[in-house]
Amino acid sequence: MHQATTKTKSGPSEATSQENINPWERAKRQLARAAKRLKLPSLLSARLANPDRVVEVSIPIHMDDGTVRTFEGLRVQHNRARGPYKGGLRYHPKVDLDEVKALAFWMSIKNAIIDVPFGGGKGGVRVDPKQLTERELERLTREFARKLAPVIGPTVDVPAPDVNTNPKIMGWFADEYSKILGTPTPAVVTGKPLEKGGSEGRAEATGLGGCFALTTMLEKMGKNPRGMTVAIQGFGNVGSFLAEYLQQAGFNVVAVSDSKGGLYIPTGIGSVKEVLRCKERLGHLAGCYCVGSVCDISNKEKLGAREITADEALTLPVDIVVPAALENALTAPLARAVRAKIVLEMANGPTTSEAEKILNERGVTIIPDILANAGGVAVSYFEWKQNRDKTRWEKDEVLRRLEGKMKKSASDVYESSKRRNVSLREAAYLIAVERIAKAAQSE
Ligand code: NAD
């Protein structure tokens, strides 16, 4: 339960095919808007509109049957004006340079918003890890670490888990890098298992961080979260922890969905732990109608519950909807059907540009991904700092520091949006680009 397991990634749905979904183009437009408004010098704009470095490596390994296969790996280092490049490594057959460039850029932005001393990076290997045995996956990771070793390091570039990579893979990566240096160097990656220098609180960090971002925004807007209804698309690591923390904060989570569909219970889904247990037992969410610890289809009528499709979670009559699954999940047709007044973006890049325009015109507030899901990288920073200082923080301390970072950042973004009369996303970009520019100018 709540394990940070491997993650899946699928392409955008057909509905998005007419929309501009090239993430790097979208990222550059976002940057250009902020640069224009901040009157950034053109040299600086050009530096931010291109990654510092793109590293392509080949990764030949022995497969278990004795044959040799060669995989391609990538690392994009966007900007390090504020500190070492920082961002995940994904293992996916469709790892694409433009997408990785955009994700590296968004990491620079995210790290600046939550004010951790990192720049942005991202990388990956073109591979379907489900086709590899564990030993092949380990050989692939260790060879990838050897190939990247000359361009990474605790003060240069610090990778982390992303789609289809996990703490175990980060443990192999750190171990291989340490062998090359001849000294234990856990701070070369974050998201490691606890026993290999990982941090307490990393698993729940993104979901809990999203809860802090939302409650801070609502407080600023003068709204009381108690009883506000929430529907969440995506019930993996992020969605399930978020659901649990939202309930604790007084929200009523009435719907959750995953890749196989979901459930809507107008009075609330009940205990998140019980729903997760039921999903594990049944293999899907449908039928997980929980009353206390009894989750059964027989409760359906009593609860007025019904099954929903994965997308329907975004268009239910609720106060807040949360895309917490995939990029480009919230498309223009769905945006027209959204009935909530607030969208909390927990996935990376879940709203297409066209959908965002529609939501803005309809007066829907979007709490942007670069703020809402920054809790994960905040705790990655805490992990790196603990490794560097050769110390360990208790979970309470990690979560207390996370709360401080998220509340301060959400508050900064809200105040800036009011002062500049711009959307929360634009305000977040302005804060981030201004901070990066300031650091770059003093370089
Ligand atoms: P995960 O793999 O644990 O969970 C993903 C969930 O989305 C699963 O429940 C899956 O069934 C569901 N899903 C997949 N396709 C779907 C579809 N078409 N419709 C509805 N649901 C679908 O992944 P996660 O770690 O929870 O990450 C979710 C999102 O949050 C991703 O966009 C990720 O990049 C982003 N994110 C995660 C973290 C983190 O710390 N895990 C940090 C920042 C951003």
Side-chain angles (χ1 to χ4, degrees):
M1 205 173 300
H2 279 332
Q3 283 300 304
T5 51
T6 54
K7 303 175 184 78
T8 52
K9 168 185 182 259
S10 6
S13 69
E14 273 175 34
T16 60
S17 60
Q18 300 306 311
E19 302 179 41
N20 183 347
I21 53 161
N22 181 318
W24 180 229
E25 293 304 321
R26 201 193 320 164
K28 281 194 291 188
R29 274 206 303 273
Q30 288 161 340
L31 171 66
R33 263 203 306 275
K36 187 170 171 205
R37 200 170 167 121
L38 293 169
K39 299 189 174 63
L40 278 199
S42 46
L43 181 63
L44 192 51
S45 295
R47 279 174 68 188
L48 297 180
N50 296 284
D52 282 353
R53 190 191 279 158
V54 175
V55 181
E56 278 191 85
V57 296
S58 59
I59 314 166
I61 58 160
H62 266 130
M63 306 303 281
D64 287 353
D65 64 4
T67 59
V68 170
R69 273 185 69 188
T70 302
F71 298 89
E72 293 164 69
L74 265 182
R75 182 72 182 168
V76 173
Q77 298 177 328
H78 174 258
N79 185 276
R80 67 179 290 198
R82 290 176 45 84
Y85 306 106
K86 180 90 191 82
L89 294 174
R90 53 178 58 183
Y91 286 178
H92 194 275
K94 290 192 185 138
V95 163
D96 159 81
L97 180 59
D98 270 1
E99 186 182 52
V100 179
K101 278 185 183 173
L103 290 164
F105 165 75
W106 285 326
M107 286 307 298
S108 294
I109 296 290
K110 204 183 290 187
N111 290 331
I113 292 170
I114 55 159
D115 206 8
V116 294
F118 287 136
K122 204 82 174 188
V125 179
R126 275 185 208 112
V127 58
D128 180 358
K130 290 177 198 80
Q131 306 290 323
L132 266 55
T133 64
E134 178 155 319
R135 286 164 44 160
E136 289 166 344
L137 201 55
E138 180 173 351
R139 285 198 285 273
L140 176 81
T141 302
R142 289 184 181 276
E143 181 64 10
F144 191 30
R146 285 194 286 274
K147 288 292 168 75
L148 287 186
V151 292
I152 60 170
T155 58
V156 182
D157 184 353
V158 185
D162 194 70
V163 175
N164 286 333
T165 54
N166 55 28
K168 188 186 243 178
I169 291 176
M170 294 304 115
W172 292 330
F173 198 100
D175 184 56
E176 194 60 33
Y177 184 83
S178 300
K179 273 191 204 160
I180 294 166
L181 257 61
T183 178
T185 317
V188 67
V189 285
T190 58
K192 300 175 292 293
L194 265 182
E195 65 280 9
K196 295 202 168 185
S199 177
E200 293 284 355
R202 176 61 187 89
E204 53 267 67
T206 307
L208 177 58
C211 180
F212 288 138
L214 176 62
T215 49
T216 305
M217 286 292 172
L218 290 175
E219 198 181 307
K220 294 270 173 195
M221 293 170 185
K223 289 186 179 164
N224 184 352
R226 198 140 287 278
M228 283 183 108
T229 51
V230 185
I232 303 175
Q233 184 200 50
F235 201 51
N237 173 271
V238 174
S240 59
F241 273 115
L242 176 76
E244 198 165 341
Y245 284 113
L246 287 179
Q247 285 181 337
Q248 284 175 24
F251 294 87
N252 186 10
V253 178
V254 295
V256 288
S257 73
D258 66 15
S259 56
K260 294 183 185 148
L263 49 95
Y264 173 41
I265 307 177
T267 49
I269 61 163
S271 155
V272 170
K273 282 200 177 68
E274 295 299 342
V275 177
L276 278 168
R277 217 169 277 152
C278 170
K279 178 183 144 165
E280 220 161 84
R281 183 167 46 88
L282 299 180
H284 46 74
L285 281 164
C288 293
Y289 306 125
C290 301
V291 175
S293 61
V294 180
C295 298
D296 198 88
I297 194 84
S298 62
N299 290 326
K300 186 175 182 181
E301 217 163 292
K302 184 165 49 181
L303 291 170
R306 69 177 174 86
E307 279 176 38
I308 54 169
T309 62
D311 282 352
E312 207 179 340
L314 299 175
T315 58
L316 289 168
V318 294
D319 297 308
I320 299 157
V321 292
V322 186
L326 301 172
E327 291 120 70
N328 294 321
L330 188 41
T331 58
L334 285 174
R336 282 183 207 102
V338 163
R339 285 185 268 179
K341 279 283 159 219
I342 296 174
V343 173
L344 177 69
E345 291 186 336
M346 293 303 294
N348 281 317
T351 310
T352 67
S353 309
E354 208 177 323
E356 176 162 16
K357 203 163 149 241
I358 294 164
L359 292 172
N360 285 341
E361 281 163 12
R362 295 186 54 216
V364 178
T365 300
I366 301 173
I367 304 177
D369 50 1
I370 43 176
L371 167 71
N373 70 26
V377 78
V379 173
S380 289
Y381 164 61
F382 300 155
E383 179 178 334
W384 178 82
K385 180 139 180 56
Q386 289 170 77
N387 294 159
R388 303 271 299 155
D389 295 349
K390 295 192 170 49
T391 182
R392 266 193 176 280
W393 301 348
E394 297 292 329
K395 189 166 182 171
D396 280 358
E397 183 174 359
V398 173
L399 300 187
R400 190 177 43 74
R401 289 182 188 236
L402 171 66
E403 180 174 7
K405 278 251 167 258
M406 292 305 300
K407 286 188 166 170
K408 166 85 171 61
S409 314
S411 181
D412 287 351
V413 170
Y414 180 87
E415 297 302 340
S416 165
S417 102
K418 287 289 147 219
R419 199 172 58 249
R420 291 160 148 153
N421 193 25
V422 294
S423 70
L424 294 174
R425 191 186 314 277
E426 229 174 309
Y429 269 94
L430 290 169
I431 292 173
V433 173
E434 205 164 33
R435 284 181 184 163
I436 298 169
K438 207 165 159 200
Q441 273 158 355
S442 59
E443 268 182 333

